[in-house]
Amino acid sequence: MGRQAKAPKLKEPVRLRRRERKDGLVSLYLDIYKKGVRKNEYLGLYLIPERTTADKRKNAETLAIAERVRSQRIIALQNHGADNWAVIKRAAMPLEEWLNQYDREDISLSKSAFCNRVKAHRWMSLFLAKAGCPNIALEDIDKDFCRSFISFLRSAKSGASHKRNDKPLHQSTVHGYIAAISAALNKAVRDGIIEGNPFNLLETREKVGKKDCERQFLTIDEIRILMDTPIDHASMKQAFIFACFTGLRISDILKLRWSDINESNDHVEYIRIQMEKTKEYVTVPLSKEAKRWMPRRGTSEPVFPDLPKSRNTRDKSMHNWIAASGIQKNITFHSSRHTFATLMLSLGGDLYTTSKLLGHKNITTTEIYAKIVDQKKVDTVRLVDDMFAGKE
């Protein structure tokens, strides 16, 4: 009886190979071959000479990472084929690598927006390390990954990123970080790297909103109180109350020039300025009250040349001023913008016009202030509750 023929050995489409370098390191790369198409992909992973137990452990970890990448490539080949290798490689790009590219993107971002993007990346790196998936690929990010990241941020302490305190991250901060990471994934979708952003697949209840109640604002009576309260920096008082009647952010007031103030054909003065945060242009007519708090026009071009340049100095000045006024609210300079929005709507301004004055891209952002105004109406009506009980 003749020898039984051996079953043909199937070739693996992706093999992990090694190449020694002159510096003693061993470079790991993938040898991909399918249907006559051969590709090599260097992984940027290296084995080191094993002189200690720690060296052996590090090499074992490196090999485990390389094997995971190899497994991902085999699955990708089955889905796309070797002819679409560029698509496969990009989709298999680690999230960390993509975020690094995204951070270096040459676009016009305000300093605060760029800072939020970098901080969000830092928190994602912490999450990836804790979750044990530092090299997770873009194509492997799913709804469960997004849920886990949100849960991580909800329970995170501020000191985990910058050792200042152990307070939980503020809800609006968590919202901002998630928005920044989601924006990076949206960019990957637009670039054709992944098919969809899994954050967009989450239900509303799973997402983190920005608290409406965080928008502290002043009433008309409280504005009057501040007008009568002394302050250590007179320019801060001028700029803040001016902002209450224009809705400009501190970043826009700092760069406001007299050349940004124009006069229409019917002799109405207005500000035309490109907002620092969004880079959108906004046009704001100047009321008599707003003009009353502007400094006298001098030889210097800035409208508010004496404003403290240091944010810490401005914050301290605001804190002391609010404390001296007796107003029991957490008022910051940005509260002037909230004050302007609620003031316009309370006095009968329509939602669309108020949205344009604030420079909002989406009217839903302005609707938050409409809800605040409606709640004020409810609270006002309820003041008479039980006042006349038993008078029937």
Side-chain angles (χ1 to χ4, degrees):
M1 187 175 178
R3 185 186 300 177
Q4 189 174 1
K6 290 183 179 180
K9 188 176 181 181
L10 296 175
K11 273 192 174 184
E12 291 182 323
V14 182
R15 294 189 178 190
L16 180 62
R17 299 195 182 278
R18 309 180 183 197
R19 176 164 292 172
E20 293 186 6
R21 301 188 348 162
K22 292 181 180 179
D23 58 6
L25 299 179
V26 176
S27 175
L28 299 178
Y29 70 98
L30 298 179
D31 181 9
I32 301 102
Y33 183 83
K34 190 169 184 180
K35 294 182 179 180
V37 179
R38 170 161 257 120
K39 304 279 184 182
N40 286 338
E41 179 187 355
Y42 285 86
L43 301 178
L45 299 172
Y46 305 94
L47 301 179
I48 60 177
E50 294 183 350
R51 299 187 179 92
T52 65
T53 304
D55 293 339
K56 291 181 180 180
R57 190 183 307 116
K58 182 173 177 57
N59 282 343
E61 292 172 355
T62 302
L63 284 169
I65 293 170
E67 282 295 339
R68 282 201 297 272
V69 175
R70 188 179 77 89
S71 299
Q72 291 169 353
R73 296 300 187 272
I74 291 173
I75 295 171
L77 275 174
Q78 292 170 349
N79 294 334
H80 300 284
D83 292 335
N84 296 316
W85 187 246
V87 176
I88 292 172
K89 265 188 91 170
R90 294 192 78 196
M93 180 190 299
L95 174 61
E96 272 282 11
E97 184 180 335
W98 173 249
L99 291 178
N100 284 330
Q101 288 186 24
Y102 186 65
D103 288 348
R104 293 193 298 268
E105 220 176 27
D106 186 21
I107 60 173
S108 297
L109 276 181
S110 68
K111 186 177 180 181
S112 61
F114 180 76
C115 183
N116 183 70
R117 176 185 288 191
V118 172
K119 286 181 179 179
H121 183 176
R122 190 184 308 156
W123 280 101
M124 175 56 78
S125 298
L126 289 170
F127 168 70
L128 294 176
K130 185 177 180 181
C133 55
N135 294 288
I136 189 170
L138 283 170
E139 62 185 356
D140 293 329
I141 297 173
D142 54 17
K143 289 193 292 183
D144 287 337
F145 176 91
C146 297
R147 291 188 186 108
S148 297
F149 179 58
I150 292 172
S151 178
F152 169 75
L153 290 180
R154 284 184 185 275
S155 60
K157 305 290 185 184
S158 298
S161 177
H162 42 81
K163 300 177 181 178
R164 276 193 284 182
N165 56 61
D166 286 326
K167 293 181 180 179
L169 290 174
H170 211 279
Q171 180 172 324
S172 60
T173 302
V174 172
H175 170 83
Y177 291 163
I178 294 170
I181 298 298
S182 183
L185 294 179
N186 283 335
K187 178 68 165 57
V189 173
R190 291 194 299 273
D191 287 1
I193 299 174
I194 54 177
E195 292 184 2
N197 179 356
F199 275 107
N200 296 337
L201 301 177
L202 297 179
E203 295 182 21
T204 302
R205 60 181 177 81
E206 297 179 287
K207 299 177 182 179
V208 178
K210 194 171 183 179
K211 278 190 174 180
D212 295 348
C213 60
E214 292 170 4
R215 289 170 167 79
Q216 292 280 9
F217 61 93
L218 297 166
T219 64
I220 292 175
D221 286 340
E222 287 169 338
I223 295 173
R224 289 193 180 107
I225 290 172
L226 283 180
M227 287 178 176
D228 294 333
T229 303
I231 189 173
D232 51 0
H233 291 281
S235 58
M236 280 294 299
K237 183 175 184 176
Q238 285 181 308
F240 179 83
I241 297 179
F242 175 78
C244 287
F245 295 119
T246 59
L248 295 181
R249 299 179 181 88
I250 181 61
S251 56
D252 298 323
I253 286 182
L254 284 168
K255 73 169 192 175
L256 186 65
R257 301 290 185 263
W258 288 106
S259 56
D260 297 321
I261 300 171
N262 303 284
E263 187 174 324
S264 65
N265 293 333
D266 51 357
H267 306 295
V268 174
E269 286 187 285
Y270 63 92
I271 295 171
R272 176 68 175 170
I273 190 173
Q274 184 181 33
M275 293 186 293
E276 186 69 20
K277 181 178 180 180
T278 64
K279 304 305 177 185
E280 296 287 327
Y281 279 91
V282 66
T283 302
V284 183
L286 290 172
S287 64
K288 289 181 180 179
E289 196 60 47
K291 288 189 282 187
R292 194 163 74 87
W293 290 93
M294 294 172 69
R296 290 191 177 185
R297 192 164 190 158
T299 54
S300 75
E301 177 61 13
V303 176
F304 294 92
D306 299 326
L307 268 177
K309 298 298 183 288
S310 165
R311 178 173 179 173
N312 288 337
T313 302
R314 295 196 301 268
D315 289 347
K316 185 176 180 181
S317 179
M318 281 293 304
H319 177 78
N320 293 338
W321 185 34
I322 299 301
S325 73
I327 295 173
Q328 300 297 311
K329 290 181 179 179
N330 183 26
I331 299 296
T332 64
F333 198 101
H334 197 70
S335 301
S336 60
R337 184 167 167 83
H338 304 324
T339 299
F340 174 75
T342 52
L343 192 62
M344 292 299 99
L345 294 172
S346 298
L347 294 175
D350 67 90
L351 198 62
Y352 178 79
T353 304
T354 303
S355 178
K356 290 299 180 185
L357 289 170
L358 290 165
H360 286 162
K361 290 183 179 180
N362 196 325
I363 199 168
T364 55
T365 307
T366 321
E367 285 174 349
I368 294 169
Y369 296 106
K371 292 176 185 176
I372 294 172
V373 172
D374 288 342
Q375 185 58 49
K376 281 175 61 186
K377 292 176 183 177
V378 173
D379 294 341
T380 301
V381 170
R382 284 179 178 170
L383 291 174
V384 300
D385 287 356
D386 301 322
M387 286 182 64
F388 302 97
K391 299 296 182 182
E392 296 179 3

